[in-house]
Amino acid sequence: MLILGLDPGLGTTGWGVIRAEGNRLTHLANGQLKTAASEPLAQRLAHLATMLEAILADHHPTAAAVEEIFLNKNPQSTLKLAQARGVALMLAARSGLIVGEYAARLVKQAIVGTGAAEKVQVHAMIQRLLPGARIAGPDAADALAVAITHAHHLATSSKIPLPVKGGVRGG
């Protein structure tokens, strides 16, 4: 399974693609998509969409995962983040992908073992989990962390048996 992880932002969106085969994870690619603050909002969102479409076309992921929004002190920043996140969710869904969504605390918990981990700790663990990966920056590291969290979630959920009801699984 190829998983695209996204850490959305209007100024910088981190992305990472991993291959998950059981418990084995392999780094395929990562990067940061940037938009110019001097451009109008609509242009920035359109540019972000074009860049994300290129990544989807280049890597053909089979699943996607996006970090959820955290509330900033500045409501305007939260709104811009939400708009960038909306572009990412829409494009992934339009590509036929089912999208996992994960809170930052859950991602940190899955990668580092504590939901209060610092960015540098997440980056260090990504280097350990994906040896040899050249990470494009902190947003790309966060995106890879989201992808790894999704891989772990999918692996765990596939091992959980469905409840038996009336002699039929999941029925």
Side-chain angles (χ1 to χ4, degrees):
M1 175 176 291
L2 297 182
I3 301 172
L4 170 64
L6 295 167
D7 178 26
L10 184 58
T12 304
T13 291
W15 65 276
V17 180
I18 62 169
R19 178 185 315 277
E21 297 172 291
N23 291 344
R24 198 164 140 234
L25 302 174
T26 307
H27 171 265
L28 298 178
N30 72 86
Q32 298 183 123
L33 308 175
K34 297 184 182 285
T35 65
S38 60
E39 293 290 320
L41 176 62
Q43 289 303 115
R44 294 176 78 183
L45 292 171
H47 185 59
L48 177 60
T50 300
M51 292 185 290
L52 285 172
E53 286 171 331
I55 290 166
L56 288 163
D58 288 348
H59 296 285
H60 305 287
T62 53
V66 179
E67 190 169 279
E68 289 181 347
I69 293 176
F70 59 90
L71 294 177
N72 292 301
K73 291 181 182 175
N74 180 343
Q76 201 64 18
S77 295
T78 302
L79 184 57
K80 288 177 182 176
L81 172 60
Q83 291 167 324
R85 188 171 178 278
V87 167
L89 289 170
M90 184 269 303
L91 288 172
R94 199 165 66 185
S95 294
L97 303 176
I98 295 174
V99 182
E101 299 178 60
Y102 300 95
R105 288 186 67 77
L106 181 68
V107 172
K108 291 174 182 179
Q109 175 73 38
I111 302 301
V112 180
T114 175
E118 299 291 326
K119 275 191 178 278
V120 69
Q121 292 172 294
V122 173
H123 192 106
M125 281 305 296
I126 295 302
Q127 291 286 17
R128 293 183 79 100
L129 293 168
L130 301 172
R134 296 187 60 163
I135 300 173
D139 296 299
D142 288 349
L144 288 166
V146 172
I148 292 169
T149 300
H150 193 56
H152 289 302
H153 173 77
L154 292 173
T156 301
S157 65
S158 70
K159 292 178 186 172
I160 299 171
L162 294 173
V164 177
K165 227 182 201 182
V168 179
R169 273 203 191 279

